[in-house]
Amino acid sequence: GAEGPLVISTWDFGVEANVAAWKILKNGGRALDAVEQGVWVPEGDPKNQTVGMGGFPDRDGKVTLDACIMDENGNCGSVAALEHIVHPISVARKVMEKTPHVMLVGEGALQFALQQGFKKENLLTPESEKAWKEWLKTSQYKPVINIENKSFAPKRLPGNQYNHDTIGMLALDAKGNLSGACTTSGMAFKLHGRVGDSPIIGAGLYVDNEVGGATSTGVGEEVIRNVGSFLVVELMRQGYSPEEACKEAVMRIIKKKPETAKEIQVGFLALNKKGEYGAYAIQKGFSYAVCNDKDQKLVVKGKSYY
Ligand code: SD4
C-alpha cells in the first residue's frame, strides 16, 4: 500500500509551503487541495521574487505568471503569462474544473480570472521594480546558476540576470492519491510573452496516479525541449526509482546540449505511488523540502551531475 501522506516541494522555501499543505494532508484531506494551499504561501509572499506577488518582471516591467495543477484523475489546468492575479494556481484549478479547456493564456486568462471573482492587483513591488531598473542598465539576459539558493548563490552583480526559482509541489494523500502544482513568475527579465516550462503539462509538471508525479525548476526552455516531467514519470513506470528517473531526464538535457547545460541549472523532483521520492539536478545546490508525519522540516540537498 501507499505510504502517505507526504508532500515534497522544490527549494528551501518549500519548507514553509509544505507546512500549509501538511495541514490538509494530516487531516485526511485531498492531495489536490494540499498542493493548491501549499503553493499559495510563496505566491502570496511579496518578499519572494520568483513566484506570484513580488515576482521579478519581464523586460518590459510586467510581472507575468505561469502555473499549472494536475489531479489524481488526470485532470489538469494551466495559465500562462497571466498578469495581475496573486494566486495563478487557483486560476489554473478553475480552468481545470470550470472549463472544457486545459490552458488559458495572457489576456484571456486574466479575463477568465476576473469573471471567476479573482481580484486585479499590482504585483510589481518596489524591490522588484528596482531590480528591473538596475537590470535595464545593461539589459543582459544571462541566468546565474542557483542564484535562488542563498547558500550557493554567487554574489548578485548589478546587471546580472537573477535566475528564477519556481515552486513545484507533489503530494500523496491518505487515500494514496497523487496531485501536483507548479507556479512561478518565470525567468526574470524574459521577453514579454515568454512562457516557460512551469505551466506546460508534461514539462514543468506531470502526475499519473498509477505511477507517480514529477516537477521541474530551472531554465524552462531545456525542460520543454525534453518534455522533462512526463519523461520522469514514464521512466518511473518502467521501474526507475524517483532519483534515477530524475537523473536520466537531466542526462538527456546534458546530452542534447552539453555546452548549454554547463551554464544553466535544471532540477527535477519526483514522487512515486509508494511514497518514495528523489531529485537530480545539472548543477550543485538544488534543494527540496519534505514533509510527512515523521519529519516536517526536512531540506534535502539533491544530487547533481556537476
Ligand atoms: C521557467 N522553470 O520559467 C522556470 C524558472 C525556474 O528556477 O524554475 N527557475 O523557466
Side-chain angles (χ1 to χ4, degrees):
E3 245 208 67
L6 173 82
V7 57
I8 59 177
S9 58
T10 53
W11 303 111
D12 293 13
F13 66 12
V15 169
E16 248 189 279
N18 285 356
V19 170
W22 182 250
K23 281 192 189 131
I24 290 164
L25 293 174
K26 74 160 188 246
N27 294 318
R30 189 176 169 202
L32 182 70
D33 295 322
V35 294
E36 183 188 14
Q37 287 305 306
V39 303
W40 261 53
V41 176
E43 278 187 343
D45 180 357
K47 286 201 276 312
N48 184 320
Q49 293 179 300
T50 57
V51 181
M53 161 72 85
F56 288 123
D58 63 22
R59 61 188 58 185
D60 296 349
K62 293 175 173 138
V63 181
T64 69
L65 306 178
D66 291 343
C68 75
I69 193 160
M70 195 159 183
D71 77 4
E72 72 276 18
N73 300 312
N75 298 312
C76 44
S78 158
V79 289
L82 173 63
E83 293 181 53
H84 307 302
I85 303 291
V86 179
H87 294 296
I89 199 66
S90 296
V91 184
R93 184 167 176 175
K94 291 279 187 214
V95 172
M96 173 172 89
E97 291 177 341
K98 307 267 186 211
T99 80
H101 309 308
V102 165
M103 187 166 193
L104 294 178
V105 305
E107 274 301 313
L110 177 60
Q111 187 184 323
F112 171 73
L114 297 176
Q115 281 163 359
Q116 291 293 318
F118 289 83
K119 240 178 71 204
K120 189 168 177 176
E121 293 187 53
N122 171 35
L123 305 181
L124 186 63
T125 55
E127 291 75 25
S128 289
E129 189 175 9
K130 204 173 144 220
W132 168 59
K133 293 211 166 123
E134 192 61 33
W135 177 82
L136 279 178
K137 290 180 188 163
T138 56
S139 300
Q140 265 177 35
Y141 184 76
K142 191 175 184 302
V144 175
I145 292 161
N146 288 332
I147 199 86
E148 57 272 71
N149 190 323
K150 304 226 167 37
S151 50
F152 269 86
K155 215 169 168 299
R156 282 186 178 181
L157 303 168
N160 244 345
Q161 164 71 0
Y162 302 146
N163 206 2
H164 259 216
D165 185 354
T166 297
I167 187 151
M169 179 178 278
L170 302 162
L172 179 65
D173 64 26
K175 292 202 174 103
N177 285 325
L178 291 160
S179 290
C182 186
T183 176
T184 188
S185 45
M187 301 303 287
F189 319 131
K190 60 196 176 185
L191 284 175
H192 183 60
R194 181 265 188 186
V195 171
D197 58 326
S198 306
I200 312 276
I201 299 296
L205 177 75
Y206 197 70
V207 175
D208 183 324
N209 206 42
E210 284 184 2
V211 177
T215 189
S216 65
T217 178
V219 176
E221 282 73 9
E222 302 316 307
V223 178
I224 294 173
R225 214 188 298 289
N226 292 279
V227 200
S229 290
F230 182 73
L231 174 60
V232 171
V233 171
E234 287 307 299
L235 290 166
M236 291 195 291
R237 190 192 308 280
Q238 291 168 27
Y240 283 61
S241 72
E243 186 187 305
E244 284 166 357
C246 291
K247 182 175 183 184
E248 176 59 22
V250 162
M251 295 316 291
R252 297 275 178 98
I253 290 174
I254 293 172
K255 208 170 143 197
K256 198 162 281 176
K257 298 213 173 276
E259 293 312 312
T260 306
K262 258 187 233 160
E263 305 294 323
I264 62 161
Q265 176 64 302
V266 170
F268 290 102
L269 177 63
L271 169 66
N272 71 16
K273 192 75 182 163
K274 286 186 274 185
E276 298 163 338
Y277 54 85
Y280 202 86
I282 300 177
Q283 312 285 348
K284 280 200 283 288
F286 175 45
S287 64
Y288 60 99
V290 183
C291 180
N292 58 19
D293 58 3
K294 290 181 213 84
D295 211 323
Q296 316 231 339
K297 271 196 192 332
L298 187 60
V299 173
V300 184
K301 292 286 168 209
K303 291 185 188 157
S304 65
Y305 181 76
Y306 288 111

